[in-house]
Amino acid sequence: MKIVIIGGTSFVGRHIVEEAVEKGHDVTLFNRGKSNPDIFPELSRITGDRRLDAHKLENEKWDAVIDTSAYTPSDLIPVLDHVSTDHYTFISTISVYDDFSEGPVAEGASMHKGMEGDTVTGETYGPLKVTCEETVKDYFPHNALIIRPGIVAGAHDPTDRFTYWALKLNESGEVLIPGGRSRKVQWIDAKDLAAFTVLNVENRTNGTFNLTANPVTMEELVKTLASDEAVPVWADDRILLDAGVKPFEFPLWIPVSADHPEGFILADNTKAKETGWAPRGLAETAEAVREWKKGTSSNDLKTGISEEQRDKIQSLIKIDR
């Protein structure tokens, strides 16, 4: 297939490019050439800003478009206005959902009201993606693939949220673990996301899919990833809140509440699995991340609580004991 990938050199897009090339497709990249410009030198490129230079796409007819980098309608509409294709894939997010109080959300669950604008924050990210989804379906009502990933894990992850645990639990000494043992967490391996995307582009799938791994308890995560030298020290939600830790400041942690009864944002992956797709296991994802991060310690990562927060938590744990 002749595929143009919008973005394609950072994280999610990079894995999708690798999968499409491995499957033998003719891939062209359209991006500004700013993120990792030296990778994929063998591929065709169209250099430009998606908002200003989408007209450069008009010279070709594409079998498929995979859009990995649209966050607002202003990102999306210029491309939709100029590209000629038989199939459009849009990478969205489970942040489009506005209610996780009933447990894992399915594709038909309540969503944020869409919004216009160009400012992407924690509050506007989901609503803006809702508008993007609606816009894609307006342009491609019968040949649009909408993918809603959870937190993405894997090599080249710029957030280090899953990476933190893959490294931290592989080290020696005490490791603070947030929340209760039965609290559930979930992610999606970037390679699984890429494989599902490319397969369903090949199949010209029309529809919307949550894409997440099967949830595991925090205790399962610790048991699977912890080295013999790691000593887990559990800090419950009350201690973390008393120490001033905010949701997600501790990677993969949200306090259990009426809004988040599982202590996380969970999505139902049944629909994706009904296509024959199966997410890989926790240990395999963690091993790939550690291989990528060889020579790096958890202290070098972009996420994690501060030393002051850590000291406060440890003092509260001692008081509890």
Side-chain angles (χ1 to χ4, degrees), residues 20-319:
V21 170
E22 185 176 328
K23 296 291 286 292
H25 297 297
D26 177 4
V27 175
T28 295
L29 304 181
F30 174 52
N31 57 50
R32 295 173 300 172
K34 293 185 177 182
S35 298
N36 304 307
D38 297 328
I39 65 171
F40 307 126
E42 74 282 10
L43 298 184
S44 299
R45 291 173 181 265
I46 301 172
T47 302
D49 185 303
R50 59 181 301 147
R51 294 191 180 194
L52 303 174
D53 303 305
H55 62 275
K56 293 182 178 181
L57 296 168
E58 291 178 342
N59 298 327
E60 304 280 351
K61 171 69 185 295
W62 312 94
D63 296 318
V65 176
I66 303 176
D67 193 339
T68 71
S69 61
Y71 295 90
T72 73
S74 298
D75 294 333
L76 192 59
I77 290 172
V79 174
L80 294 172
D81 281 341
H82 290 284
V83 75
S84 176
T85 186
D86 296 323
H87 190 269
Y88 203 99
T89 295
F90 176 66
I91 305 299
S92 187
T93 170
I94 63 168
S95 293
V96 297
Y97 300 113
D98 65 355
D99 185 0
F100 292 88
S101 64
E102 300 299 321
V105 292
E107 286 80 359
S110 172
M111 297 198 301
H112 291 287
K113 183 178 179 180
M115 65 177 292
E116 301 293 331
D118 285 324
T119 303
V120 182
T121 67
E123 289 71 36
T124 66
Y125 175 60
L128 286 169
K129 282 284 194 176
V130 170
T131 301
C132 287
E133 287 189 13
E134 293 170 347
T135 304
V136 169
K137 288 186 283 189
D138 285 343
Y139 277 75
F140 294 92
H142 306 297
N143 49 354
L145 174 63
I146 308 293
I147 296 178
R148 296 173 179 163
I151 287 174
V152 185
H156 315 296
D157 175 12
T159 72
D160 287 334
R161 290 173 291 188
F162 179 91
T163 304
Y164 177 91
W165 294 112
L167 295 189
K168 194 71 175 175
L169 288 165
N170 199 49
E171 296 172 350
S172 60
E174 291 190 349
V175 184
L176 283 174
I177 312 295
R181 287 172 168 79
S182 62
R183 188 177 68 84
K184 291 182 179 177
V185 291
Q186 190 181 47
W187 55 86
I188 177 64
D189 189 296
K191 288 185 176 295
D192 288 340
L193 171 54
F196 182 89
T197 300
V198 174
L199 176 62
N200 283 281
V201 168
E202 292 169 344
N203 292 339
R204 297 292 203 279
T205 301
N206 179 61
T208 301
F209 296 86
N210 292 335
L211 214 62
T212 55
N214 300 322
V216 301
T217 65
M218 202 65 188
E219 184 170 39
E220 289 176 81
L221 183 142
V222 170
K223 285 183 175 179
T224 302
L225 301 188
S227 70
D228 292 339
E229 291 76 33
V231 181
V233 177
W234 293 85
D236 64 31
D237 288 351
R238 178 183 55 80
I239 285 175
L240 296 174
L241 292 169
D242 286 348
V245 182
K246 296 179 174 60
F248 283 118
E249 265 191 307
F250 225 138
L252 306 187
W253 175 76
I254 299 175
V256 172
S257 66
D259 289 337
H260 299 97
E262 301 282 5
F264 205 63
I265 50 173
L266 301 179
D268 187 320
N269 62 8
T270 301
K271 185 178 177 182
K273 290 196 292 186
E274 286 174 348
T275 69
W277 172 81
R280 69 194 66 204
L282 165 61
E284 186 177 351
T285 298
E287 182 56 36
V289 166
R290 286 194 292 262
E291 181 65 25
W292 165 57
K293 281 289 193 178
K294 270 186 176 176
T296 302
S297 79
S298 59
N299 294 326
D300 300 323
L301 302 180
K302 301 179 187 72
T303 189
I305 58 174
S306 67
E307 286 300 318
E308 292 78 11
Q309 288 171 313
R310 188 178 307 279
D311 291 344
K312 178 69 171 175
I313 292 168
Q314 289 172 330
S315 68
L316 290 170
I317 290 172
K318 289 177 182 177
I319 291 169

